[in-house]
C-alpha cells in the first residue's frame, strides 16, 4: 500500500527489514507468537544501469584537478577508482595501504554519529591499488606528520579523521568548478 502511494521499492525493502528485526526481537524478548514481517513477500529490486551515471576517467581527472587541495583530489580518486564509500575513505589508515601487495584493506568506516567504527557489513575487504591511486597516496603520505601505521591517510589538522559533511561540500564545489553534473 505504501509503495502504491509512492514509496520507493528500495525504501520499502528497508522498512520491511526494520520491522522484521523489531518483531524478531519482540518474539525473543517478550514471547510474541509470530513475526508478521516474515510473511511479507520479497519485494523485487532491479538494478537498471540507465538509472545511474558514472564519471569517465577524463571526468574523474577533471574532478581531481578541480579539488581544493591535493588531499581532496586523492580522496576523490580513491573513492572513484578503488570503489570506497565516503566513510571508508575517511577511516582509511596508513597501515591499510599496502604498496607492495598493490592493495588497500578496507577495515573501518566513519559515521557522523558513532565516529570511527567497522564497515557496514562488519567485515573488512581488500581492493586493488591501481597505479593512479598508488601515486596519489604515496604523495599524500610523504607529509611530515601523521604517518604512523595507525594514523589516518586523510588526516585532519590535528590528525583526527575528517568530517564527511565538509568533504561533501568541497566535492560539490569541485564538481561545479570542473563543470560536472
Amino acid at each position: 500500500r505504501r509503495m502504491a502511494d509512492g514509496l520507493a521499492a528500495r525504501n520499502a525493502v528497508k522498512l520491511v527489514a526494520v520491522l522484521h528485526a523489531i518483531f524478531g526481537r519482540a518474539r525473543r524478548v517478550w514471547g510474541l507468537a509470530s513475526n508478521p514481517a516474515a510473511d511479507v513477500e520479497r519485494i523485487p529490486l532491479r538494478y537498471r544501469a540507465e538509472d545511474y551515471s558514472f564519471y569517465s576517467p577524463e571526468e574523474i581527472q577533471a574532478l581531481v584537478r578541480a579539488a581544493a587541495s591535493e588531499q581532496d583530489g586523492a580522496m576523490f580518486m580513491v573513492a572513484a577508482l578503488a570503489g570506497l564509500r565516503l566513510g571508508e575513505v575517511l577511516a582509511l589508515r596508513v597501515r591499510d595501504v599496502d604498496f607492495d601487495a598493490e592493495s588497500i584493506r578496507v577495515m573501518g568506516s566513519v559515521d557522523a554519529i558513532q565516529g570511527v567504527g567497522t564497515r557496514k557489513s562488519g567485515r573488512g575487504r581488500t581492493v586493488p591499488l591501481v597505479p593512479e591511486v598508488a601515486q596519489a597516496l604515496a604523495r599524500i603520505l610523504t607529509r611530515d606528520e601523521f604517518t604512523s601505521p595507525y594514523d589516518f591517510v586523510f588526516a585532519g589538522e590535528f590528525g583526527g579523521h575528517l568530517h564527511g559533511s565538509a568533504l561533501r561540500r568541497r566535492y560539490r564545489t569541485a564538481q561545479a568548478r570542473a563543470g560536472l553534473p
Side-chain angles (χ1 to χ4, degrees), residues 93-136:
R93 300 200 185 255
V94 173
R95 69 175 184 214
D96 298 329
V97 180
D98 190 338
F99 291 103
D100 294 331
E102 298 178 346
S103 64
I104 299 173
R105 287 180 299 279
V106 186
M107 304 304 289
S109 186
V110 171
D111 178 86
I113 296 170
Q114 296 176 352
V116 181
T118 59
R119 290 184 59 244
K120 193 161 74 168
S121 69
R123 296 185 318 235
R125 64 185 168 107
T126 302
V127 297
L129 180 60
V130 297
E132 296 90 341
V133 173
Q135 292 166 4

Side-chain angles (χ1 to χ4, degrees), residues 86 90 112 162-171:
L86 173 61
L90 297 176
L162 297 170
H163 295 277
S165 60
L167 180 59
R168 270 190 221 91
R169 284 192 299 275
R170 294 194 306 271
Y171 174 76

Side-chain angles (χ1 to χ4, degrees), residues 39-86:
D39 296 332
V40 175
E41 288 184 33
R42 184 174 164 88
I43 300 169
L45 289 179
R46 293 187 183 95
Y47 171 78
R48 294 178 8 176
E50 62 271 11
D51 290 344
Y52 300 92
S53 62
F54 301 97
Y55 287 154
S56 68
E58 294 79 22
E59 290 171 321
I60 293 168
Q61 290 303 324
L63 181 67
V64 169
R65 286 190 302 273
S69 67
E70 184 177 22
Q71 178 167 279
D72 283 359
M75 283 189 280
F76 301 157
M77 188 176 291
V78 168
L81 299 181
L84 272 63
R85 296 177 180 96
L86 173 61

